[in-house]
Amino acid sequence: MDQDEKLLNTIEKMRGEISGFLAELVKAKSMNPPGDTRDVVEIIRGKLAASGLRIKIISVDEDKPNIVARLGPAQPKKKLELLFNSHVDTVPIGEVQKWKHDPFGAEVSDGRMYGRGIADAKGSVAAMVMSAKALVESGVELAGTLVLNPVSDEEVGGFKGAKHVLDSGEIRPDHVVVGEITTNRIAIAEKGLVWFKITTEGRTAHASTPWDGINAIDKMIDLLKQIDSRIATQLKQRKHPLTPPPSLNIGVITGGVKTNVVADKCEVTIDRRILPSETIEGATREMQDVIEYVKSQDPEFRAKMDVILAGSPIETSPDSHIVKVAQEVCRNRGIPDEPVGYLQASDGRFYAEKGIPTILLGPGLAELAHAPDEWINLEEVVEATKIYSLLATRILR
């Protein structure tokens, strides 16, 4: 029996443990906000410690711990790190009456397990942790180091999670696999994002004599019309072979203090998703140019814009080593090996920004993220465990 066969047989025997471990993760509430992930992190820490991994806890806030666990020789033959990253925090459940299944019950029906965060991304976390245990129990010797990094802050930006751990210098990965919902396909591209906050300013007056004031809401309406005609319509013409089109969404708008008062302030936040071929700077300049245009047409127009969140897009070369190895593994497992794009945004951007080859790969359907009755196919989780294990042996042997 060769090493791969022994490893796969070990995982087959762990099927019940994999689903049981995943159920534990689902039952441990880790909604963000508020973001307290200590219970779920302790479950993961215990599983990794029992398998003999060397573990550190790194955190900004005590209630948002991040795990860095290492598998491999203390003095590795190769100074090579393969990072498995995924996140344990979830979005809130929303309106509970819209759920047919208990959001934290880990109920199983027709091969599916249900629960908040089970696809996004506790299925990936469970598979990554169990892949490390399978490597240990199969006696696989690694020449380099496998680093498992379940983090706590992805759903609100990742700054206290993946970014903090990376910036701390505790990890120095050469290759990164981010566990996200790709139905175990290899994703090598994702859109970046920029969140803008735009404020228009006016002059207050009584509503009975509105001409004595300047209505900031009216000015915002004028601006949004120009943003629609000068940016949103153009985005429909821009394309990337792997990702969805670029997009622009007006998420929140607030203004005014009372119905009978002319509003002297209006704020809007806009979500702009950018293609790998676009840049944060370019999208920002594009938005600022529209503001400047409206100013040139209306001497009473006053507005300011701030970037309140930004994340770079990802585009990993299909010729990179991690992609080629992942393709070989998936092909041998009967999974389509053609690279795809990822629909949402992920922590992968932090590694890609530093030039580290990064792919996204994990069980689950992206369309189920953040929705009521979120579910995952348990067979996909087992398959992901096999894929992660085989990836580690081929990168680090």
Side-chain angles (χ1 to χ4, degrees), residues 134-324:
L135 289 166
V136 172
E137 294 193 358
S138 301
V140 174
E141 294 185 7
L142 303 177
T145 305
L146 174 63
V147 182
L148 272 70
N149 180 215
V151 295
S152 292
D153 196 51
E154 193 270 351
E155 292 292 358
V156 293
F159 300 102
K160 294 180 179 180
K163 187 177 190 306
H164 174 67
V165 175
L166 184 60
D167 290 347
S168 74
E170 182 62 37
I171 59 173
R172 294 179 175 83
D174 299 282
H175 309 281
V176 176
V177 180
V178 176
E180 281 288 1
I181 34 182
T182 70
T183 60
N184 290 335
R185 298 289 301 274
I186 306 160
I188 64 171
E190 76 176 28
K191 294 191 291 183
L193 63 89
V194 193
W195 284 6
F196 300 107
K197 182 175 79 171
I198 302 174
T199 305
T200 52
E201 297 177 356
R203 185 174 66 245
T204 189
H206 197 285
S208 65
T209 55
W211 46 83
D212 289 335
I214 298 174
N215 194 310
I217 296 174
D218 288 341
K219 301 302 182 184
M220 182 64 77
I221 291 170
D222 292 341
L223 175 62
L224 293 178
K225 287 178 179 178
Q226 291 297 327
I227 289 172
D228 182 66
S229 65
R230 292 175 174 268
I231 299 178
T233 53
Q234 292 182 23
L235 297 185
K236 298 174 184 177
Q237 310 304 316
R238 301 176 192 174
K239 300 184 186 302
H240 187 277
L242 296 180
T243 70
S247 58
L248 187 151
N249 179 66
I250 300 165
V252 178
I253 186 166
T254 58
V257 294
K258 203 166 181 285
T259 306
N260 62 346
V261 177
V262 173
D264 64 348
K265 185 178 180 181
C266 183
E267 285 186 355
V268 67
T269 57
I270 296 175
D271 178 305
R272 168 78 157 88
R273 300 296 166 119
I274 63 175
L275 296 178
S277 54
E278 299 181 290
T279 64
I280 293 169
E281 294 77 16
T284 303
R285 185 168 56 251
E286 200 171 45
M287 193 70 70
Q288 188 65 51
D289 285 347
V290 176
I291 292 174
E292 295 304 321
Y293 171 78
V294 178
K295 284 181 180 178
S296 71
Q297 300 300 303
D298 179 359
E300 291 187 332
F301 182 81
R302 299 286 184 273
K304 64 177 182 177
M305 183 182 78
D306 296 302
V307 174
I308 56 176
L309 180 66
S312 298
I314 297 174
E315 187 162 30
T316 301
S317 169
D319 295 322
S320 66
H321 184 54
I322 184 68
V323 175
K324 291 297 186 185

Side-chain angles (χ1 to χ4, degrees), residues 86 119 121 123-125 127-128 177-187 342 359-366 376 380-381 383-385 387-388:
S86 194
S124 292
V125 173
M128 287 179 165
V177 180
V178 176
E180 281 288 1
I181 34 182
T182 70
T183 60
N184 290 335
R185 298 289 301 274
I186 306 160
Y342 184 56
I359 64 171
L360 299 100
L361 190 156
L365 289 165
I376 202 165
E380 267 190 39
V381 181
E383 186 59 47
T385 306
I387 293 170
Y388 294 145

Side-chain angles (χ1 to χ4, degrees), residues 11 18-19 22 118 122-124 126-128 184 363-364 376-386 388:
I11 294 171
I18 292 170
S19 61
L22 177 56
I118 195 162
K122 290 181 177 180
S124 292
M128 287 179 165
N184 290 335
I376 202 165
N377 187 313
L378 290 173
E379 186 61 38
E380 267 190 39
V381 181
V382 174
E383 186 59 47
T385 306
K386 295 176 180 178
Y388 294 145

